[in-house]
C-alpha cells in the first residue's frame, strides 16, 4: 500500500489524503494546491480569523460536486484542532477555530475550499465587533456599479457618520464594506443601524441601490445586503478561496484600488496571490491599523437619524 501522506506544519504533523484530487476541473487545481495555498497564506490570514468560529464550505468531489456547509466540528477532527461552543436556538454548535497554520492545512485537507467567519469573537459571541455591508450585483457585468456604490457608502460612513471603513472583494461578484466595532451592542441593534445606513445609501442612489430583500423586486439595482449582521451569520473570511472557476480569493483592498475601473472581484486567485502579496509588501497592508478604528454606535446612530 502507498505510504500515507503527511505534512509537518510547525509542531504539528497533519495527515493528508488524496492530494492529487482535482477540485477545480477547468483549472487543474488539486487538493494539494489548496493545502499549499492555505499553508502559505496562514501568516497573513490567521490574524483575521483569531477567536472567530468558522463554518466550512466543503467540496469533497470538487466545485462541480456537492457543497457541504459544515458548522459543527466533525467527530473525526483531531483533539489539536481548536473549537468553540456557539449557542443556537434549542442547543449549541461546536465550531472550529483556526489559530495556527496546521489548523488551516487540516481544514484544506477536508476539502474546505471556503472559510466563513462569524462577525463576533469567542469572548463576546453575542456582541459583534464587525459590521458588514455586502454589495451584491444582479450579474457579473455590473461590478463597475458595485465600485460606485462602495465609494458612495464609504463617503456616507466617513463624512456623515464619522466612521472609517474597510473594503474587500468577496472573490465572487461583489464587495464587502466593513466597519470595526467595539463589541458592546447586540446583533439586532447593530443590524438595525446597518439598515438605516443602507436606507440612506439607497435614497442617495435610488436608481443604483436597493435594500429590497426579494430578488424579484430589486430590478437591476445593486443590493445593499445587511443581513449578515445577524447572530451566528457569517461572512467569507479575508483570503478565503472561493469555489468558483479559477479559484479566486477574497482579498482586502486599499480604497484607491476601488476607484480603478480595471478592478475585478475575482482578479486575485490562488495562482496570482503571490504577486498580490509582493504588491502589498510595497504598498502596505490595506487593513493595517484596523484595530485602531473601533467604534461604538451611540453617536453614529444619532447622526444617521438626522440623515433619514
Amino acid at each position: 500500500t502507498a505510504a500515507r501522506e503527511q505534512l509537518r506544519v510547525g509542531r504539528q504533523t497533519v495527515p493528508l489524503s488524496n492530494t492529487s484530487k482535482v477540485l477545480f476541473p477547468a483549472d487543474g487545481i488539486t487538493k494539494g494546491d489548496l493545502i499549499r495555498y492555505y499553508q502559505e497564506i496562514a501568516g497573513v490570514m490567521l490574524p483575521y480569523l483569531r477567536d472567530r468560529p468558522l463554518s466550512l464550505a466543503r467540496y469533497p468531489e470538487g466545485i462541480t460536486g456537492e457543497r457541504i456547509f459544515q458548522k459543527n466540528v466533525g467527530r473525526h477532527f483531531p483533539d489539536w484542532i481548536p473549537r468553540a461552543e456557539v449557542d443556537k436556538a434549542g442547543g449549541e454548535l461546536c465550531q472550529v477555530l483556526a489559530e495556527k497554520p496546521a489548523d488551516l492545512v487540516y481544514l484544506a485537507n477536508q476539502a474546505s475550499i471556503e472559510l466563513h467567519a462569524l462577525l463576533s469573537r469567542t469572548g463576546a459571541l453575542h456582541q459583534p465587533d464587525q459590521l458588514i455591508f455586502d454589495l451584491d450585483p444582479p450579474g457579473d457585468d455590473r461590478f463597475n456599479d458595485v465600485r460606485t456604490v462602495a465609494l458612495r457608502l464609504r463617503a456616507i460612513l466617513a463624512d456623515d457618520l464619522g466612521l472609517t471603513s474597510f473594503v474587500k472583494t468577496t472573490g465572487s461578484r461583489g464587495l464587502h464594506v466593513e466597519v470595526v466595532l467595539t463589541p458592546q451592542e447586540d446583533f439586532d441593534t447593530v443590524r438595525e443601524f446597518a439598515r438605516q445606513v443602507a436606507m440612506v445609501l439607497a435614497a442617495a442612489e435610488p436608481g443604483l441601490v436597493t435594500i429590497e430583500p426579494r430578488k424579484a423586486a430589486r430590478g437591476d439595482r445593486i443590493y445593499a445586503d445587511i443581513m449578515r449582521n445577524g447572530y451566528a451569520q457569517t461572512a467569507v473570511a479575508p483570503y478565503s478561496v472561493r469555489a468558483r472557476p479559477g479559484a479566486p480569493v477574497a482579498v482586502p483592498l486599499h480604497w484607491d484600488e476601488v476607484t480603478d475601473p480595471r478592478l475585478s472581484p475575482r482578479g486575485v486567485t490562488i495562482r496570482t496571490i503571490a504577486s498580490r502579496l509582493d504588491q502589498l509588501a510595497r504598498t502596505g497592508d490595506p487593513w493595517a491599523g484596523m484595530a485602531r478604528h473601533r467604534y461604538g454606535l451611540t453617536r453614529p446612530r444619532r447622526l444617521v437619524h438626522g440623515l433619514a
Side-chain angles (χ1 to χ4, degrees):
T1 57
R4 190 161 174 76
E5 292 180 88
Q6 54 187 30
L7 183 63
R8 186 79 178 170
V9 186
R11 284 181 280 183
Q12 199 66 56
T13 299
V14 185
L16 305 180
S17 59
N18 300 330
T19 54
S20 59
K21 173 87 179 175
V22 175
L23 298 181
F24 295 81
D27 309 284
I29 294 170
T30 65
K31 190 161 79 165
D33 296 326
L34 184 76
I35 291 166
R36 195 156 36 250
Y37 167 78
Y38 277 117
Q39 181 183 13
E40 290 173 357
I41 203 68
V44 179
M45 185 180 192
L46 284 172
Y48 300 115
L49 302 183
R50 190 157 294 126
D51 300 326
R52 293 191 191 281
L54 300 177
S55 296
L56 314 172
R58 296 177 50 229
Y59 294 80
E61 299 305 318
I63 66 169
T64 56
E66 181 191 3
R67 173 186 189 252
I68 301 168
F69 196 70
Q70 181 174 338
K71 292 191 172 185
N72 263 317
V73 169
R75 281 185 217 152
H76 58 285
F77 279 33
D79 292 344
W80 54 263
I81 292 284
R83 55 204 77 194
E85 303 296 333
V86 178
D87 298 337
K88 66 165 191 168
E92 60 184 17
L93 296 166
C94 182
Q95 290 186 235
V96 71
L97 300 170
E99 296 175 350
K100 55 190 179 295
D103 302 336
L104 290 179
V105 167
Y106 182 85
L107 297 177
N109 186 62
Q110 302 293 308
S112 303
I113 292 177
E114 300 183 357
L115 304 180
H116 297 257
L118 263 60
L119 277 60
S120 59
R121 295 178 189 258
T122 49
L125 284 172
H126 290 270
Q127 287 80 40
D129 68 344
Q130 290 181 344
L131 183 163
I132 292 185
F133 299 90
D134 180 3
L135 303 179
D136 186 21
D140 283 352
D141 59 340
R142 296 289 303 284
F143 189 65
N144 273 340
D145 289 335
V146 175
R147 291 189 306 103
T148 300
V149 171
L151 292 165
R152 187 62 186 264
L153 175 56
R154 181 202 189 192
I156 290 168
L157 290 167
D159 301 342
D160 298 327
L161 304 175
L163 298 171
T164 299
S165 58
F166 298 84
V167 63
K168 74 171 187 275
T169 65
T170 62
S172 181
R173 296 192 308 191
L175 292 171
H176 282 175
V177 176
E178 309 194 9
V179 176
V180 186
L181 305 176
T182 51
Q184 58 193 27
E185 309 206 45
D186 65 22
F187 276 94
D188 289 348
T189 307
V190 170
R191 185 170 55 189
E192 176 56 24
F193 172 75
R195 190 182 69 80
Q196 292 173 351
V197 175
M199 286 172 66
V200 171
L201 175 66
E205 298 282 357
L208 204 52
V209 181
T210 179
I211 58 169
E212 176 56 64
R214 290 172 304 134
K215 271 190 177 175
R218 292 179 204 161
D220 64 351
R221 292 171 294 177
I222 308 301
Y223 177 38
D225 182 1
I226 54 90
M227 298 311 290
R228 297 190 185 285
N229 301 290
Y231 175 68
Q233 298 295 312
T234 62
V236 66
Y239 297 104
S240 173
V241 182
R242 301 308 301 270
R244 296 184 66 124
V249 175
V251 289
L253 299 171
H254 291 284
W255 272 110
D256 61 4
E257 294 179 281
V258 182
T259 66
D260 187 341
R262 294 168 301 179
L263 181 69
S264 160
R266 299 189 292 277
V268 179
T269 71
I270 68 171
R271 286 184 169 151
T272 64
I273 188 71
S275 62
R276 172 69 181 174
L277 296 179
D278 288 345
Q279 177 193 347
L280 295 186
R282 296 189 300 274
T283 63
D285 177 0
W287 285 10
M290 211 178 195
R292 293 198 302 272
H293 297 281
R294 290 188 182 281
Y295 300 94
L297 291 179
T298 304
R299 183 170 178 269
R301 195 161 35 237
R302 196 165 62 242
L303 292 171
V304 83
H305 281 310
L307 299 175

